[in-house]
Amino acid sequence: MSQHIRIKDIAAYAEQEVTLRGWVYSRTGKGRLQFILLRDGSGQAQCVAFKREMQPEDFELARGLTQESAIIVHGVVRADERAPGLPGGYEIGIRSLELVQLAQEYPITPKEHGTEFLMNHRHLWVRSNRQWAILRVRATIIKAMRDWLDNEGFLLVDTPIITPAAGEETTTLFEVDYFGEAAFLAQTGQLYNEANIAAFGKVYCFGPTFRAEKSKTRRHLIEFWMLEPEIAFCSLEELMDIEESMVAYVVAQTLEKHQQELEIIGRDTDKLRAITPPFARISYDEAVERLQALRDQTDDPVRKAELAIEWGEDFGSPHETALAGLFDKPVFVYHYPTAVKAFYMTPVAGRPEVCRSVDLLAPEGYGEIIGGSERIHDHDLLAENIDKMGLGREAYEWYLDLRKFGSVPHAGFGIGIERTVAWVCGLSHVRETIPYARLLNRKYP
Ligand code: 4AD
Ligand code: MG
């Protein structure tokens, strides 16, 4: 029996007899010649069934194959520039064929389907070319982030998913019944990272996070994945250096490894090639001035209303989009008003109405992909904020403890995987960036 190979490696087996195992992506042909586009998860290859070269029953089997039938193909690899496939350029001359399962009529056909239909069939949709390409890019983006951090001496330290208290703010908490007591799904792993830096110096956590957010925007998921680095003895400026290098590395790795996928997705890669350090850094004050100038420049009343902002207000999507539109690369906006940010952020010395926070806004309208800050390391100030926000001291005793035993200036950030993937792939909605999206009105399949 010939050697089983994966399609991605096909070029190494020219003129050899191999075995492929996979699913029928499509079948065309007439009479004595059948073309089967086979996918095996690693790629796609055209397999040619030629009546004269096969047993009659095998050829009949090939002729009757339906979309998504599972088969095992034995054949010879032939170089052929015109052969379609991923990577393409090679085809298989089928010698023999085994049927594993003949698929029923497959609901997803090459014709157009509505998004709701596709999302309802997500368990099957993940097999389609475009979804295959996006989820492969997602895996690389996650790996690139982790590789970058691992190389920089960060330690992966896992943080809990079930938590006793809010990590960000109380309005988006997802409550679960913990043996009769209230507990919450993690909004962030940050607070635990802050404990872990005193043990390891530089850490990150990576996992699913939850926000019971009643938003139906193209940027919001109920369950999303966040990677959160935290660094002891780190300033906001140093934090921006880290974010910038990591994001540039992630984009460079995607470009290096996924030309094929980016082409399937239809991404303009020139825009990605521009993503190199440094990224512009502007203060919230300047951002508001720039937005007000944009508002004054337009005659369109709808646009004017969209861009309207007063100092002190948080940015909405149109503001982030407009700001990021002024740059070809991601842009940092730092020192947001303290009132619109989380309870743990350090106030700016001498100007407590703003805090040592920084968001990274992605270009091309993608908005915030990273949120980060310097954390309050003074015990009393932090305790005061916890009280002021009505968070309840009890659940935060451990967090306050960290400010009693070798408290140091520290900073960290969280990068949303799905928003990053949406930007890098140039997608209009985050729902395609995660295998099984949890949205306001969707938890199936
Ligand atoms: O700005 P956020 O809420 O920050 C934190 O959670 C901090 N504790 C992170 C830290 O400093 N360690 O969220 C960080 C990022 C956002 O910039 C965004 O990319 C993503 O997480 N994010 C979401 N992505 C999808 N759907 C949602 N509902 C999201 N909420 C936040
Ligand atoms: Mg944020």
Side-chain angles (χ1 to χ4, degrees):
M1 194 82 340
S2 56
Q3 192 186 351
H4 166 238
I5 67 160
R6 295 197 86 201
I7 292 171
K8 70 177 172 55
D9 303 320
I10 199 166
Y13 294 88
E15 305 309 324
Q16 295 183 42
E17 194 166 329
V18 298
T19 298
L20 300 179
R21 303 185 294 208
W23 298 265
V24 175
Y25 199 61
S26 64
R27 183 184 54 79
T28 54
K30 45 185 184 299
R32 297 174 308 135
L33 207 53
Q34 297 289 322
F35 297 99
I36 298 160
L37 192 57
L38 185 78
R39 32 166 223 96
D40 74 346
S42 78
Q44 294 178 359
Q46 171 164 279
C47 302
V48 184
F50 188 29
K51 194 168 183 179
R52 232 177 43 198
E53 292 173 352
M54 297 168 66
Q55 295 293 329
E57 60 272 22
D58 278 9
F59 186 76
E60 278 317 301
L61 177 62
R63 237 163 52 110
L65 286 174
T66 51
Q67 188 185 349
E68 289 306 319
S69 286
I71 56 171
I72 299 174
V73 173
H74 308 285
V76 177
V77 177
R78 297 188 293 237
D80 181 344
E81 264 175 35
R82 298 155 309 167
L86 300 169
Y90 293 87
E91 63 175 26
I92 304 284
I94 303 178
R95 289 275 167 84
S96 65
L97 201 58
E98 295 169 55
L99 181 67
V100 181
Q101 196 244 340
L102 188 68
Q104 297 179 22
E105 196 178 333
Y106 194 62
I108 302 179
T109 59
K111 73 162 203 259
E112 289 276 309
H113 296 285
T115 305
E116 274 307 292
F117 177 86
L118 290 168
M119 288 301 285
N120 282 332
H121 292 84
R122 183 63 170 167
H123 52 297
L124 303 177
W125 192 23
V126 289
R127 304 180 190 192
S128 301
N129 264 355
R130 183 181 159 82
Q131 302 308 315
W132 176 84
I134 293 167
L135 294 179
R136 281 165 63 89
V137 170
R138 175 188 170 101
T140 291
I141 285 176
I142 292 168
K143 177 169 160 46
M145 289 176 183
R146 296 201 42 200
D147 284 348
W148 191 91
L149 291 163
D150 292 345
N151 286 334
E152 291 288 321
F154 285 75
L155 187 75
L156 173 70
V157 184
D158 302 316
T159 54
I161 300 224
I162 299 176
T163 61
E168 285 297 307
E169 22 82 53
T170 50
T171 56
T172 63
L173 280 172
F174 232 109
E175 193 168 328
V176 292
D177 174 22
Y178 199 74
F179 308 107
E181 272 181 37
F184 309 97
L185 298 182
Q187 297 171 308
T188 169
Q190 176 200 318
L191 276 53
Y192 298 94
N193 276 344
E194 289 181 65
N196 296 334
I197 52 165
F200 304 104
K202 304 204 274 189
V203 302
Y204 67 99
C205 62
F206 174 57
T209 42
F210 305 85
R211 306 274 167 99
E213 224 158 343
K214 296 247 157 64
S215 332
K216 261 169 98 176
T217 78
R218 59 197 182 87
R219 297 175 183 177
H220 285 92
L221 290 160
I222 301 300
E223 175 179 300
F224 64 99
W225 287 66
M226 184 158 54
L227 183 132
E228 299 179 87
E230 191 76 24
I231 309 106
F233 300 103
C234 181
S235 70
L236 200 68
E237 290 70 30
E238 289 166 319
L239 193 72
M240 290 189 242
D241 294 342
I242 292 170
E243 294 182 20
E244 181 174 87
S245 305
M246 192 184 89
V247 168
Y249 179 76
V250 164
V251 173
Q253 284 290 301
T254 306
L255 280 168
E256 190 184 312
K257 296 189 172 147
H258 290 299
Q259 282 308 314
Q260 171 185 270
E261 284 76 5
L262 293 169
E263 200 173 303
I264 292 171
I265 300 162
R267 181 60 163 124
D268 177 353
T269 50
D270 286 344
K271 293 223 162 67
L272 294 180
R273 260 176 259 284
I275 311 303
T276 51
F279 303 161
R281 301 176 181 195
I282 63 171
S283 66
Y284 170 87
D285 296 345
E286 183 183 342
V288 169
E289 279 170 23
R290 290 214 184 194
L291 284 169
Q292 289 172 343
L294 285 175
R295 178 200 59 196
D296 294 343
Q297 281 160 22
T298 178
D299 294 324
D300 177 358
V302 178
R303 182 93 181 119
K304 253 194 204 311
E306 235 180 33
L307 290 176
I309 187 143
E310 293 304 324
W311 194 99
E313 291 171 348
D314 201 0
F315 297 140
S317 290
H319 302 118
E320 289 183 356
T321 300
L323 275 174
L326 300 170
F327 304 87
D328 298 331
K329 301 183 194 183
V331 55
F332 289 109
V333 180
Y334 61 87
H335 291 185
Y336 280 79
T338 308
V340 303
K341 289 291 184 190
F343 68 95
Y344 51 70
M345 295 191 184
T346 307
V348 170
R351 215 189 148 203
E353 68 278 15
V354 289
C355 62
R356 299 279 283 160
S357 57
V358 62
D359 281 3
L360 184 67
L361 312 183
E364 301 175 73
Y366 286 92
E368 178 195 336
I369 56 168
I370 300 184
S373 63
E374 270 178 32
R375 326 303 194 184
I376 295 175
H377 61 282
D378 177 75
H379 175 277
D380 294 351
L381 182 58
L382 185 61
E384 193 186 305
N385 271 5
I386 288 171
D387 291 346
K388 219 163 46 191
M389 307 252 177
L391 291 173
R393 213 41 108 91
E394 215 174 290
Y396 294 88
E397 283 305 338
W398 70 270
Y399 188 58
L400 285 164
D401 261 359
L402 306 174
R403 277 69 185 170
K404 296 179 191 162
F405 308 107
S407 189
V408 300
H410 63 286
F413 67 90
I415 180 162
I417 300 301
E418 291 75 20
R419 289 194 193 169
T420 306
V421 175
W423 162 53
V424 172
C425 291
L427 308 177
S428 60
H429 198 292
V430 288
R431 68 186 155 223
E432 287 179 56
T433 65
I434 183 163
Y436 301 95
R438 297 295 172 248
L439 301 164
L440 191 53
N441 46 17
R442 172 173 301 283
K443 58 181 186 318
Y444 177 91

